[in-house]
Amino acid sequence: MLQKYARIYSRFGFQIRHYAKPIEIASIIDITRTVVETNDVQVLNSSYIEFRRSLNLLTSSGDIDSIIGRLSKFCADPVTVYLGMLCRVCALLNAGRLQECMEDVQTLLLLDNQAAIKKGSTGYTNERILLLANHFLYNLLLMSKNTDKKKLESCVQSIQQLNPDFMPGCLDVANFYQSQPDHAGDDIAEENYNRAVELCPENEEAILSRSLYFSRNKHTVKRAVIDCKRVLSINPNNAEAKELLKTLK
């Protein structure tokens, strides 16, 4: 079941959208800077979604080795090293180069023991970098089919502690707890699915993920249908929602 949610994350939640002109890496670095610097929850979530969409578009429209090389130049600059590394992690994840991605994520997670980044000097904090690193690690583990419960649980606990209002993090927490045996985590899962939709009420990924959760229980199928139709009202071409809706009728 966790892998099913991982597919939604990679295939649907941060869909590629067509832009009038090519996405420049420098502009993605600027978006990343907003993600790690802002104290506004709405800006954090909207900027992160734009960050993912931009990286998806970039990695689908060019030579991945060239893109990784260009991002690595930002990783070599002390001012943009962590911004560049976050972008590289996302690009490697998109390309399925999971081992290289894991190496970058592990580097980001070491920030907890470093004094290199402090608020005021670079404009962003260890906490935000660690939040994103744990979010990427959780999804990286799912994509690599690593279902070690302790590792996954450690990721979602860190995400909850670092920022409970990070919408993709809410989905990570919800997706983890919905998979617990005997419905032991259902209350936490539903709370976080609801919070994700509350934070980003027009986000297709958040609504569809909640719909999938509701579809598991015959007592909440009607709520699953409502969420599917809500997704289709936002995007009538959403194939995932159409497919799920067929199974619910």
Side-chain angles (χ1 to χ4, degrees), residues 21-176:
K21 59 181 181 180
I23 297 293
E24 299 293 338
I25 287 181
S27 69
I28 299 177
I29 293 292
D30 288 339
I31 295 169
T32 313
R33 182 177 287 107
T34 299
V35 171
V36 298
E37 287 185 6
T38 184
N39 291 317
D40 185 297
V41 169
Q42 287 186 330
V43 174
L44 167 63
N45 288 317
S46 62
S47 297
Y48 180 79
I49 291 169
E50 186 62 23
F51 160 80
R52 284 304 307 248
R53 286 177 176 156
S54 298
L55 262 299
N56 286 358
L57 179 63
L58 181 69
T59 53
S60 70
S61 61
D63 176 66
I64 189 64
D65 288 325
S66 173
I67 291 167
I68 297 299
R70 288 154 62 197
L71 287 171
S72 295
K73 293 180 180 179
F74 289 94
C75 298
D77 186 332
V79 176
T80 59
V81 54
Y82 297 107
L83 302 178
M85 197 169 291
L86 286 167
C87 291
R88 191 167 66 185
V89 163
C90 185
L92 290 167
L93 199 62
N94 287 351
R97 289 163 58 165
L98 305 185
Q99 183 57 46
E100 294 169 83
C101 184
M102 180 63 80
E103 291 171 4
D104 274 358
V105 168
Q106 294 296 342
T107 299
L108 292 169
L109 289 170
L110 289 174
L111 278 173
D112 208 23
N113 299 316
Q114 297 178 7
I117 295 183
K118 290 184 179 179
K119 187 78 173 179
S121 58
T122 57
Y124 45 90
T125 64
N126 289 25
E127 286 78 11
R128 184 61 54 77
I129 301 292
L130 290 171
L131 170 69
L132 296 168
N134 276 283
H135 166 61
F136 280 125
L137 178 58
Y138 177 81
N139 287 278
L140 178 58
L141 290 171
L142 292 184
M143 289 180 69
S144 61
K145 295 182 166 51
N146 185 330
T147 54
D148 185 315
K149 183 180 176 181
K150 289 185 177 180
K151 289 183 179 179
L152 293 168
E153 187 171 24
S154 176
C155 288
V156 298
Q157 287 178 345
S158 295
I159 289 167
Q160 281 185 305
Q161 292 169 2
L162 289 163
N163 194 328
D165 291 329
F166 179 50
M167 186 278 287
C170 290
L171 292 182
D172 293 339
V173 174
N175 293 344
F176 174 77

Side-chain angles (χ1 to χ4, degrees), residues 197-213:
V197 175
E198 179 185 349
L199 288 164
C200 297
E202 298 297 311
N203 184 267
E204 298 169 48
E205 179 200 16
I207 304 167
L208 185 57
S209 293
R210 187 173 68 175
S211 184
L212 270 172
Y213 170 73

